[in-house]
Amino acid sequence: MSNNAQTTQAVIVIGGIDAHADTHHVVALDTTGKILGDHPFPASSRGYRDALDWLAKFGLIDKIGVESTGSYAAGITRFLLESGVDVVEVNQPHPHLRARRGKDDSIDAEAAARKALSGQATAIPKVTTGVVESIRVLRLARESAVRSRTRTIVQLRSLLVTAPAQLREQLTERSAAVLVARCAGLRPDLDRLDDPLQATKRALRAMARRIQMLDEEINETDASLKQLVERTAPTLTSKLAIGPGHAAQLLITAGQNIERLHSEAAFARICGVAPIPVSSGKTHRMRLHRGGDRQANAALHMIAVCRMRYHQPTIDYVKRRLAEGLSKKDVLRCLKRFIAREVYHDLKTDLGLT
């Protein structure tokens, strides 16, 4: 190749992005690892375009390593994917790197680019422009309402403990629903709030009405989620013990682009149900690793527990494995792994990857 051809050959650029709420710091490397430049950009639609144009001026963009693709970098990740750029998801820098080099936005962006360049980072970010993202945000709103409702009920019961005796003795219901209804119907004398009895009635009524509003919000969100989930994953929700709530969580964990998980073993790993050996000497056994998405793990656990009680083939399987000498915990581990395999193939069918 002539010298002229070498000088005109396009430079291959690998980018790295460290994302924050207001700014994204971008670093450009060539294929030898040489830093071509670094620059901060605002976290806005205009900033995303400017960042991509800035990277492109160095040469042909091969791929970009991005931190926090599911949080601070969600917007720029969507923009880059829509622009046809190859994006890889990068974990935060290892503590050893931070101990050696310190930490700032430029260092973190460079570390992201180097992970993408070396092939250490290969994870494909989730697509957040489809129905699964809609399910995620609705589920997030529901979880927030449930937590607020639980916290308010606890506060209401705690307030009753110290309430004046004549009021406390009127509100002895154990059922939360009945207690909330009774408290919502209290009629404090608003002109006598200097009396602790009337002030307590006012506080209890306010808490009870807040709980009722949250109940209504939860019910409305559940109805929307049920409609979306059953339409998106009819195969999955048709299986025993997999209702809209569990199906929603499993959809969120897998993501709209489930092809990013190369096998059902990868899905099991991300759900925290992949077995790992814990053998020593004459003891030979496996256990589930403690990583992965714990909410997905909890969903699989509840599905397994329900099937152990109501699904006859599962009941027969449990009896057989217990007779073979396995503990109940080991049997549950096997069931969760099997259910993860079933869920993965159902999700591939529902998301159009059969």
Side-chain angles (χ1 to χ4, degrees):
M1 183 181 289
S2 67
N3 287 337
N4 268 349
Q6 287 179 346
T7 55
T8 58
Q9 187 177 13
V11 175
I12 304 299
V13 178
I14 291 85
I17 298 177
D18 180 39
H20 296 277
D22 300 319
T23 61
H24 297 336
H25 203 97
V26 184
V27 167
L29 306 178
D30 64 15
T31 52
T32 66
K34 177 184 176 182
I35 298 178
L36 302 174
D38 70 276
H39 196 280
F41 295 91
S44 64
S45 298
R46 176 62 182 273
Y48 303 156
R49 288 194 297 272
D50 290 345
L52 186 58
D53 292 342
W54 179 82
L55 280 170
K57 79 177 185 179
F58 293 107
L60 182 64
I61 300 174
D62 180 35
K63 54 188 170 183
I64 301 177
V66 183
E67 274 192 31
S68 309
T69 59
S71 53
Y72 290 125
I76 195 168
T77 300
R78 279 193 290 267
F79 172 79
L80 293 173
L81 291 174
E82 289 169 359
S83 301
V85 178
D86 185 11
V87 179
V88 293
E89 186 172 349
V90 177
N91 294 328
Q92 291 184 347
H94 195 278
H96 291 172
L97 175 64
R98 289 183 172 175
R100 290 194 302 269
R101 297 194 58 190
K103 179 188 183 328
D104 65 20
D105 296 346
S106 178
I107 292 172
D108 289 348
E110 181 188 342
R114 293 195 182 282
K115 285 185 178 180
L117 173 62
S118 67
Q120 182 181 355
T122 58
I124 301 171
K126 291 180 181 178
V127 169
T128 56
T129 55
V131 65
V132 174
E133 178 67 6
S134 300
I135 292 170
R136 186 189 72 83
V137 296
L138 286 175
R139 186 170 172 82
L140 185 67
R142 182 190 186 279
E143 289 173 353
S144 173
V146 169
R147 284 195 296 269
S148 297
R149 179 184 183 276
T150 302
R151 184 165 57 248
T152 307
I153 289 175
V154 171
Q155 291 171 340
L156 185 145
R157 290 191 182 277
S158 298
L159 182 56
L160 274 176
V161 172
T162 59
Q166 63 188 95
L167 179 60
R168 188 175 68 251
E169 291 166 3
Q170 293 173 11
L171 302 169
T172 58
E173 290 80 4
R174 305 297 297 177
S175 166
V178 176
L179 179 61
V180 167
R182 289 284 305 277
C183 290
L186 290 173
R187 295 189 174 187
D189 185 346
L190 300 181
D191 295 328
R192 297 173 52 215
L193 290 181
D194 55 340
D195 180 355
L197 175 62
Q198 302 305 321
T200 303
K201 284 184 178 181
R202 173 70 178 81
L204 289 172
R205 187 178 70 174
M207 289 182 179
R209 290 182 177 179
R210 188 189 314 158
I211 293 166
Q212 290 176 334
M213 289 175 59
L214 289 168
D215 280 335
E216 184 178 351
E217 180 184 337
I218 291 167
N219 291 335
E220 289 176 355
T221 308
D222 279 341
S224 299
L225 272 172
K226 184 174 187 292
Q227 181 181 9
L228 275 179
V229 171
E230 290 183 348
R231 189 173 64 205
T232 305
T235 307
L236 182 62
T237 53
S238 68
K239 301 298 175 63
L240 180 68
I242 305 181
H246 294 330
Q249 180 56 58
L250 295 168
L251 277 165
I252 293 165
T253 300
Q256 185 83 35
N257 51 331
I258 193 173
E259 67 273 11
R260 71 193 185 93
L261 304 174
H262 54 80
S263 68
E264 53 91 11
F267 179 71
R269 184 78 178 182
I270 203 173
C271 290
V273 296
I276 59 175
V278 285
S279 302
S280 178
K282 296 181 179 179
T283 302
H284 300 280
R285 62 181 296 271
M286 308 286 284
R287 70 159 174 83
L288 300 182
H289 77 93
R290 306 293 195 266
D293 187 330
R294 304 317 297 170
Q295 290 182 312
N297 187 284
L300 292 176
H301 181 87
M302 294 309 299
I303 294 168
V305 168
C306 183
R307 290 186 178 182
M308 288 170 70
R309 184 169 184 179
Y310 298 108
H311 187 229
Q312 192 58 49
T314 302
I315 295 170
D316 295 339
Y317 173 80
V318 171
K319 289 179 179 177
R320 177 169 63 81
R321 298 310 300 270
L322 289 175
E324 292 173 358
L326 268 67
S327 68
K328 189 173 182 179
K329 184 181 292 186
D330 286 335
V331 176
L332 188 59
R333 172 187 63 76
C334 295
L335 281 174
K336 289 166 73 173
R337 180 64 181 84
F338 173 81
I339 295 168
R341 181 182 299 115
E342 176 187 289
V343 166
Y344 174 76
H345 291 294
D346 287 345
L347 286 175
K348 284 183 65 178
T349 300
D350 291 329
L351 295 174
L353 294 176
T354 50

